[in-house]
């Protein structure tokens, strides 16, 4: 049977996972209430983790009672003050949420490595503004990088800061552009035991969404296969592989792609598009327009009615179970 434990070496409350398929980060705002409600209920029934994405934790993430990974993006949505700085009191409150089992610091994602994110004002409802801690009527912009650090030393300090507050495993999500990036993380973990990420999510530069800039999703960042193999090699080179659980993501949607990612070094995988297709996505590429015809990538209550939460949750569960 499959079992991995996250957080054994940093003094936090460890998390044991017994499945290698998990729901990748997609935010409320980008996806609808019903989409996330179905994902969370499906995750609960399948016994897998649901990453809530960088848009903060919403009632739809609580819908099914499934375990959550809270993602801290560059804009600190959900745990930010009015200036966009990390609000430690809000973070501590989030750490006390019974469904949140881990935290993830998002450095970059494969859809747009090196570029920030944008949630158009047309998709920002009063509820989303309240959850994200942003203003109504203004596009919500996530910067390209975290203002708190600019190098590996700063990254480790920020991980320590977050972990000291949440007392739960803290991971990072990154896109590898050069081997030095992951080697520097591994080298510092070797030099300073007990520090660094509890897990690393390696997002392939070939990942993407219907709203991704083509030039970035196609030409920036190493593809998943090379990236996960490189990360596995670097962690082994510095003898810290046993201290980190590696997640792979980026165009993984079928059992053979899962097997390939794990053969190349991954311990587990994040799946996004596979779960979107399970929800009912028809790849209309209207994700950024608020006009998704299947009710998945929209905040229109009229369009959302196309998605039946319990029927979609059953498909999510069935898809997850068919993959392991």
């Amino acid at each position: 049977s499959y079992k991995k434990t996250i957080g054994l070496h940093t003094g936090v409350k460890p998390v044991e996972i017994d499945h290698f398929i998990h729901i990748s980060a997609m935010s409320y705002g980008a996806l609808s209430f019903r989409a996330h409600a179905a994902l969370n209920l499906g995750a609960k029934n399948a016994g897998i983790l649901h990453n809530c994405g960088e848009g903060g934790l919403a009632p739809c993430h609580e819908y099914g009672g499934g375990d959550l990974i809270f993602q801290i993006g560059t804009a600190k949505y959900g745990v930010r003050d009015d200036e966009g700085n990390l609000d430690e009191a809000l973070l501590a409150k989030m750490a006390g949420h019974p469904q949140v089992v881990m935290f993830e610091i998002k450095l970059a994602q494969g859809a747009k490595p090196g570029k920030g994110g944008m949630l158009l004002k047309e998709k920002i409802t009063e509820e989303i503004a309240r959850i994200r801690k942003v203003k109504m009527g203004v596009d919500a912009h996530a910067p390209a990088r975290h203002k708190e650090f600019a190098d590996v030393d700063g990254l480790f300090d920020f991980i320590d800061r977050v972990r000291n507050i949440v007392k739960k495993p803290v991971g990072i999500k990154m896109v590898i552009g050069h081997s030095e990036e992951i080697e520097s993380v591994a080298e510092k973990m070797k030099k300073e035991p007990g520090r660094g990420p509890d897990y690393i999510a390696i997002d392939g530069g070939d990942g993407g969404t219907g709203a991704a800039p083509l030039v970035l999703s196609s030409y920036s960042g190493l593809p998943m296969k090379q990236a996960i193999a490189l990360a596995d090699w670097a962690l082994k080179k510095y003898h810290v592989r046993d201290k980190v659980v590696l997640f792979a993501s980026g165009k993984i949607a079928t059992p053979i792609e899962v097997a390939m990612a794990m053969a190349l070094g991954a311990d587990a995988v994040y799946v996004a598009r596979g779960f979107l297709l399970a929800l009912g996505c028809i790849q209309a590429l209207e994700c950024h327009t608020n006009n998704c015809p299947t009710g998945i990538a929209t905040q229109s209550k009229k369009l959302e009615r196309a998605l039946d939460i319990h029927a979609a949750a059953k498909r999510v569960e069935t898809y997850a179970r068919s993959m392991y």
Side-chain angles (χ1 to χ4, degrees):
S1 64
Y2 173 92
K3 281 208 183 325
K4 291 287 178 184
T5 305
I6 304 172
L8 281 174
H9 304 281
T10 53
V12 296
K13 181 182 179 183
V15 170
E16 190 173 86
I17 55 175
D18 52 13
H19 300 303
F20 46 80
I21 306 292
H22 302 281
I23 300 174
S24 191
M26 296 175 279
S27 64
Y28 177 50
L31 300 191
S32 67
F33 179 99
R34 291 193 184 201
H36 269 297
L39 287 171
N40 192 256
L41 181 57
K44 172 67 172 179
N45 293 337
I48 63 176
L49 300 176
H50 177 195
N51 191 314
C52 68
E54 66 177 323
L57 193 151
C60 54
H61 297 121
E62 302 170 313
Y63 185 89
D67 287 342
L68 296 167
I69 299 172
F70 184 89
Q71 190 179 77
I72 303 171
T74 55
K76 314 298 189 297
Y77 291 132
V79 289
R80 59 182 266 153
D81 61 19
D82 292 339
E83 282 73 51
N85 299 304
L86 182 67
D87 186 316
E88 294 190 355
L90 287 174
L91 182 62
K93 183 179 179 182
M94 198 59 65
H97 194 290
Q99 283 173 248
V100 176
V101 297
M102 298 197 301
F103 287 78
E104 180 173 289
I105 300 166
K106 174 191 164 185
L107 306 181
Q109 72 181 84
K112 48 196 176 188
K115 186 179 186 296
M118 178 80 76
L119 185 65
L120 299 178
K121 58 182 180 289
E122 289 79 13
K123 293 181 80 170
I124 300 177
T125 63
E126 287 186 11
E127 182 191 30
I128 289 169
R130 185 174 65 253
I131 291 165
R132 291 198 177 208
K133 316 296 183 193
V134 296
K135 296 176 181 176
M136 285 283 292
V138 181
D139 293 338
H141 180 250
R145 62 194 302 169
H146 289 269
K147 64 172 77 173
E148 289 83 359
F149 55 88
D151 56 20
V152 173
D153 290 342
L155 169 62
F156 274 53
D157 290 342
F158 189 67
I159 292 172
D160 287 345
R161 179 184 171 194
V162 171
R163 193 157 45 214
N164 286 338
I165 295 168
V166 303
K167 311 297 184 189
K168 293 178 178 180
V170 177
I172 60 174
K173 178 179 181 178
M174 65 185 295
V175 178
I176 296 177
H178 192 283
S179 60
E180 286 180 3
E181 296 163 2
I182 187 65
E183 280 196 81
S184 61
V185 171
E187 184 178 15
K188 192 168 178 68
M189 288 182 68
K190 174 69 173 177
K191 289 180 178 176
E192 302 177 27
R195 298 191 73 202
D198 293 294
Y199 74 92
I200 303 176
I202 303 293
D203 206 10
D206 48 355
T209 71
L214 182 62
V215 68
L216 293 181
S217 61
S218 298
Y219 298 105
S220 183
L222 284 178
M224 182 277 292
K225 296 176 199 173
Q226 291 92 323
I228 195 68
L230 182 60
D232 182 61
W233 166 82
L235 293 165
K236 286 176 177 175
K237 176 183 176 181
Y238 290 96
H239 308 289
V240 292
R241 182 65 184 85
D242 62 320
K243 295 175 170 54
V244 180
V245 170
L246 272 183
F247 285 72
S249 67
K251 290 190 174 178
I252 299 172
T254 63
I256 189 61
E257 289 158 354
V258 174
M260 181 174 56
M262 296 184 74
L264 289 168
D267 296 307
V269 300
Y270 271 148
V271 175
R273 75 186 65 211
F275 283 112
L276 290 178
L277 292 168
L279 287 175
C281 169
I282 59 171
Q283 301 183 82
L285 301 183
E286 296 284 348
C287 313
H288 58 303
T289 67
N290 207 33
N291 296 318
C292 172
T294 56
I296 296 170
T298 180
Q299 298 307 315
S300 164
K301 295 302 177 188
K302 179 180 178 181
L303 291 173
E304 257 197 272
R305 291 204 298 268
L307 198 157
D308 180 301
I309 292 175
H310 287 267
K314 184 61 181 175
R315 294 194 299 273
V316 166
E317 178 191 356
T318 301
Y319 171 66
R321 290 190 183 280
S322 72
M323 294 275 274
Y324 56 72

